[in-house]
Amino acid sequence: MRKISVRRHKVKGELRWLVSRFLDGKRKRTIFDSKAAAAAEVARLQSLGGADEAWSKLTPERKAQVLKMPAPAATGKTLKSALAELVAAKLGAGKSERYLAGFKSVLNGFIKGREEMPISSITFTDCEAFMNTKKLAYRSTIRARLSTLFNFAVRRGYMEANPCYRLEAVTYVKPPPKVFTPMQVGRCVVWLRRNSPRALGWFVLTTFYGLRPEEAQQTSKSAINFKAGVVIVDAQTTKVRQRRVVQCPHPKALELLCLARDMESEFPINTELRRRTVRRLREVLGWEVWPKDVTRHTGASYLLAIKPNADYVSEQLGHSVKVLKRHYKALVTPEQAKRFWGRIRIKLPSK
């Protein structure tokens, strides 16, 4: 008599499913990537005869309940329709439009040219080939996005296993974030005041207060206390969906914020104005590429230099102390921070 059992099993920290059976006094084990694949193996073994009598008497529903396995994979669900279902499910679960925009950007790149292919036909080789066309810095994110899609398909019964389980884990050490030098931030402020005062408020909020660029873009005038220098970041605008109150980091920051108001800066600003401002500032500084979140990283780094209290600074920035120390510790010295604030002139120099 052949005894069959199914249990969870971890391989290098990742969940797998182990089918174990005894035959002629010897145990044989097979590891599968998914519960559905393990269930299919159990069914195959049962069809060979000599199975456990008690198991053979169970109804299909009871077998699925015992094994905690989904229904057999459905056929014909295309990549395009599966992605549409996933996005709808994420929206229904309260995910932000910003999150979904980045999410769809990666997945649309993968399914391009494969829109009508059954998702069940996607293999490990397809995923690996797509990832190998991307830079190493982005592969970990790409793997996570693809895995989310395939895990969703497995839960819905559209495929038996997530092919991403077989992909090698990506190791990438990020370089320190780029920040403005005191001279560069001074040049940006002068240029904005003379050429684009409408965007000055956004620049002050993200570069001096340390708001994420998207948070600063969506901050309205009613969320700013110009007397106390306090900025309220609404939960709907934040990356982590948590409301926070950001205190004035330095008297010069409040002076600039009030100046931006008096110069009729826009609170909030539209996406096109923000993009045009970044493009022009890149030209002013002679940069070929605008470093990602350079304004936010600048605010965080110089704030930590003048207020070396990790708990306070992380609360102001809206992320963990661990992230703060990993990215910003010792990036800027107190002497550099003093020069940074010293470069800010409320009275413009003559041309």
Side-chain angles (χ1 to χ4, degrees):
M1 182 179 293
R2 181 185 292 131
K3 301 286 187 180
I4 302 175
S5 65
V6 180
R7 64 182 174 85
R8 295 171 182 267
H9 183 74
K10 283 195 173 183
V11 178
K12 295 183 179 180
E14 294 190 346
L15 178 63
R16 299 289 189 270
W17 291 84
L18 187 147
V19 176
S20 177
R21 68 265 193 197
F22 282 90
L23 186 61
D24 299 327
K26 295 181 180 180
R27 184 173 68 168
K28 184 176 181 180
R29 300 186 303 174
T30 309
I31 297 174
F32 296 88
D33 288 343
S34 72
K35 295 184 290 184
E41 174 64 7
V42 169
R44 186 187 71 81
L45 292 172
Q46 304 307 316
S47 68
L48 296 177
D52 185 292
E53 188 174 327
W55 174 266
S56 65
K57 292 180 179 179
L58 295 178
T59 64
E61 292 77 15
R62 180 56 180 162
K63 288 178 181 178
Q65 182 180 2
V66 171
L67 296 175
K68 297 181 180 179
M69 302 212 176
T75 58
K77 178 64 67 171
T78 66
L79 271 169
K80 183 179 180 180
S81 58
L83 177 56
E85 279 190 27
L86 174 59
V87 171
K90 292 290 185 184
L91 275 174
K95 297 296 183 182
S96 68
E97 291 288 350
R98 179 190 173 196
Y99 165 83
L100 288 175
F103 186 81
K104 289 188 292 185
S105 176
V106 172
L107 294 178
N108 283 332
F110 176 76
I111 72 171
K112 186 176 181 181
R114 302 186 178 101
E115 291 86 350
E116 302 305 320
M117 286 180 60
I119 192 169
S120 58
S121 68
I122 299 300
T123 66
F124 149 77
T125 305
D126 296 323
C127 300
E128 185 177 55
F130 177 72
M131 286 185 59
N132 286 342
T133 64
K134 309 301 179 183
K135 293 182 179 179
L136 185 64
Y138 306 133
R139 291 183 191 176
S140 182
T141 299
I142 293 170
R143 182 177 187 238
R145 297 290 184 261
L146 289 174
S147 192
T148 298
L149 172 62
F150 295 131
N151 279 334
F152 174 81
V154 170
R155 293 197 303 271
R156 292 290 175 99
Y158 301 150
M159 63 193 311
E160 290 189 350
N162 181 347
C164 290
Y165 283 151
R166 296 174 58 195
L167 292 172
E168 290 294 327
V170 177
T171 301
Y172 176 72
V173 180
K174 292 184 178 180
K178 299 290 185 181
V179 300
F180 289 128
T181 65
M183 181 175 293
Q184 287 170 338
V185 78
R187 290 176 62 187
C188 288
V189 170
V190 170
W191 185 90
L192 285 165
R193 292 176 63 179
R194 286 174 171 165
N195 301 279
S196 186
R198 293 167 57 204
L200 177 61
W202 168 79
F203 187 82
V204 172
L205 288 174
T206 184
T207 304
F208 297 100
Y209 275 79
L211 272 64
R212 296 179 178 90
E214 295 79 13
E215 293 173 346
Q217 179 183 333
Q218 299 177 64
T219 299
S220 64
K221 187 179 290 187
S222 61
I224 304 172
N225 184 329
F226 289 95
K227 184 175 182 180
V230 173
V231 179
I232 298 175
V233 183
D234 187 74
Q236 295 302 314
T237 68
T238 70
K239 181 179 179 180
V240 294
R241 296 297 189 91
Q242 291 182 354
R243 179 179 182 271
R244 73 181 190 277
V245 178
V246 181
Q247 306 293 331
C248 178
H250 191 279
K252 286 283 186 67
L254 178 54
E255 288 185 71
L256 275 176
L257 199 56
C258 291
L259 178 65
R261 175 200 58 191
D262 296 341
M263 297 184 73
E264 299 184 349
S265 281
E266 296 184 9
F267 297 100
I269 69 171
N270 60 61
T271 301
E272 180 54 36
L273 175 57
R274 174 188 158 192
R275 288 176 178 171
R276 185 167 62 249
T277 300
V278 167
R279 186 167 59 249
R280 295 297 303 277
L281 288 177
R282 180 168 56 82
E283 295 171 357
V284 168
L285 297 174
W287 291 352
E288 292 186 4
V289 177
W290 183 260
K292 181 175 173 57
D293 291 341
V294 62
T295 52
R296 153 88 162 180
H297 294 157
T298 296
S301 299
Y302 285 99
L303 176 59
L304 186 60
I306 62 173
K307 296 183 183 294
N309 182 328
D311 290 324
Y312 171 80
V313 175
S314 62
E315 183 178 339
Q316 295 298 291
L317 298 173
H319 57 47
S320 68
V321 173
K322 182 179 179 180
V323 171
L324 180 75
K325 290 182 177 180
R326 182 168 68 239
H327 291 300
Y328 305 113
K329 189 175 182 180
L331 198 59
V332 170
T333 65
E335 293 73 20
Q336 289 173 316
K338 185 176 180 180
R339 292 199 301 273
F340 174 83
W341 293 106
R343 295 290 303 185
I344 307 304
R345 298 284 187 271
I346 303 303
K347 183 177 180 181
L348 275 177
S350 61
K351 293 184 181 182

